[in-house]
Amino acid sequence: MSVAPRTTIYSARSILTMNPAQPRATHVAVREGRILGVGSLDDLTGWGPADLDERYAGQVLMPGLVEGHCHLPEGGMWKFAYVGFYDRRGPDGRLWPGLKRLDAVAARLREFGQGLAKGETLIGWGFDPIFFGGQRMSVRDLDAVSAERPVVVMHASMHLMNVNTPMLARAGIDRDTDIEGISRFDDGTPNGELCEFAAMFPVMRLIGSPFRTVGLSEDGLRLFGQVAQWAGVTTATDLVNELGDDGLATLARVTAEPDYPVRIVPAASALAFAGDPAACLARLETARRLNHGKLHLGMVKLVVDGSIQGFTARLRWPGYYNGAANGIWVIAPAELDTLVQAYHDAGVQLHIHTNGDEATERAIDAIDRALRRSPRPDHRHTLQHCQMADAAQFRRMASLGLCVNLFANHIFYWGDAHHALTMGPDRANRMDACASAMRAGVPFGIHSDAPITPLGPLFTAWCAVNRQTASGRVLGESERISVDAALHAITLGAAYTLHLDHLVGSIEVGKQADFCALQDDPLAVPPESLKDIAVLGTMVGGRPLARQGA
């Protein structure tokens, strides 16, 4: 005799469903990990016997938050030395003060190096010279940290790095090395700053690409899960995954654990397959066999240009406000057409990194051509970051069925620098233009790109609503969006860009019972307080999860 599945009804002070057909409720019924019903307690009694669980009775429930552009190293990066400009809290709750001077960066690196074995590479992350008044880090700064031990400092954007003389020597980078992106002193010798992937590759090959692999270690995955829980995130991407056997096996095993607190949506890195779509697609087909309820492989990531604050993004005329040279093509425009067509024809969804508006234009052109050759409904190809897109580009996106995921956190962290140095006041005011996307009818999400900025969708929503920089400047008041629109962008909007809106992103019948419990109602607090709402817990697949470290 079969046993009827148990039903649990959860009560809450209020339930914000993100379902426009039923925006509010007080109770939600869960059976077999899915949402059975939503409404009042009376509405749900027809489903038969149920356990009433009041653990959320004084709290506000909303769908588990969806981070549509982040990376698993957000957890494991804390194995290295954090040397960023802004204060940042690690997975263990420790607050690491931001560093405002190059000598403070050097001091933290030296302190971290004391715990390393002799000869072991010292790795730092989070650095950005744009905050240091035009002063750039060089081999001289890092040789002062250590003249014997190799030292590598990854910039906050992950598109540039600095290394010391021992690392340049080990990597074979000298005045005769002919690779685009190697910065040099006036006499032609490398100064230790390496811009974009080609220039960084000799170093990454030596140190084993730790900024990628650390996220796929067991410890790194567990740290990521811990960070996600504190942020209220129940679905998150790993938007550059090289599909290595060991990393995928660990990812599949750990995420399958009943208490692992987040669904992971990796994107295959086309860059890892050296421009060979056939090899990438074959590997992706094999990897997809590992998919289960909390692992969703199937997307592909392309990177067209670099970082605006690193001056490696590609801009249309008139270029950088401070006169810096235009950026670097990570994928040349002619090659981009070929790659987009191949992946589009294979039926996969593309997520395409474009920061500058010239790169955005080239990506839109490539997708336009691919669709003319091979029409495909509901492809949902998504432009990621897309920070400098203007109104005409958003209109083109809408006409082609494109989605966009805008890097709203940039407004706070780099908005002042964009206003003064990279874009100038007028173009900076349209950066990460959520309101323009809405006006054009482009489906959109907003994101943190963690570990570039901290994982925290409520903070990201605050950025899109208030558009306030670190100095308090309002950057583009006309591009502000409502709190309701911002909450949609970190739930159902982000889920749509991942082709997962049928499973997550709202609290409605049939979907996964993924919830985020909040101390306050985000639609009831002042918009400027949105980032301060406390996340009290999460549920994934009907399983309430205790936060580690709580």
Side-chain angles (χ1 to χ4, degrees), residues 46 51 64 77 89 140 153 174 252 277 287 312 326 338 442 518:
D51 300 317
M77 289 292 280
R89 198 172 297 279
R140 294 163 186 157
V153 175
D174 57 27
T312 59
N326 208 348
T338 301
V442 180
L518 305 177

Side-chain angles (χ1 to χ4, degrees), residues 20 108 168 178 226 243 314 348 380 431 493:
R108 185 170 290 173
L168 284 175
D178 184 19
Q226 187 172 326
L243 305 185
R314 292 290 307 194
V348 300
R380 299 193 206 178
M431 293 190 70

Side-chain angles (χ1 to χ4, degrees), residues 426-440:
D426 47 3
R427 288 180 297 167
N429 280 326
R430 77 161 194 253
M431 293 190 70
D432 301 292
C434 295
S436 288
M438 288 184 66
R439 286 190 288 266

Side-chain angles (χ1 to χ4, degrees), residues 392-404:
Q393 289 178 325
F394 282 118
R395 289 191 290 270
R396 285 192 70 196
M397 292 179 219
S399 72
L400 297 171
L402 282 167
C403 303
V404 67

